Amino acid sequence: DHPERSDFRLGLARAYSALGDLKRGDSQFPEAVIAVERAIAILDALVAEHPGEDAYREEQAAAFLRLGEWTKSGGRRNEGLVW
């Protein structure tokens, strides 16, 4: 566990996003959302700490897009507005 290592944290965020995809594929929507929200929390911190690093913003945008698409396709459009 190396919280000072941005590359490790990016890897963890990507792992949470991948876990979210797997959970979504298994129709475990609440667990999928939790996983992607964890990824977003990590990415939010990375973007704040490294505003010039495009890779973090791109990953963050992809995670938000994933979450928005899921809520829209799941008929939970109003929940998507919270994020």
Side-chain angles (χ1 to χ4, degrees), residues 36-50:
V36 174
E37 286 176 340
R38 288 181 178 161
I40 289 170
I42 294 166
L43 293 163
D44 284 347
L46 287 170
V47 167
E49 294 166 20
H50 307 281

Side-chain angles (χ1 to χ4, degrees), residues 24-82:
R24 173 84 163 115
D26 286 341
S27 299
Q28 298 177 30
F29 187 77
E31 293 86 355
V33 169
I34 289 168
V36 174
E37 286 176 340
R38 288 181 178 161
I40 289 170
I42 294 166
L43 293 163
D44 284 347
L46 287 170
V47 167
E49 294 166 20
H50 307 281
E53 185 64 48
D54 291 340
Y56 300 146
R57 282 196 309 275
E58 290 169 5
E59 291 286 339
Q60 182 189 43
F64 276 118
L65 181 61
R66 176 179 289 114
L67 204 52
E69 288 174 346
W70 292 351
T71 56
K72 180 181 173 186
S73 68
R76 300 166 70 171
R77 200 174 293 239
N78 290 337
E79 285 184 38
L81 297 174
V82 175

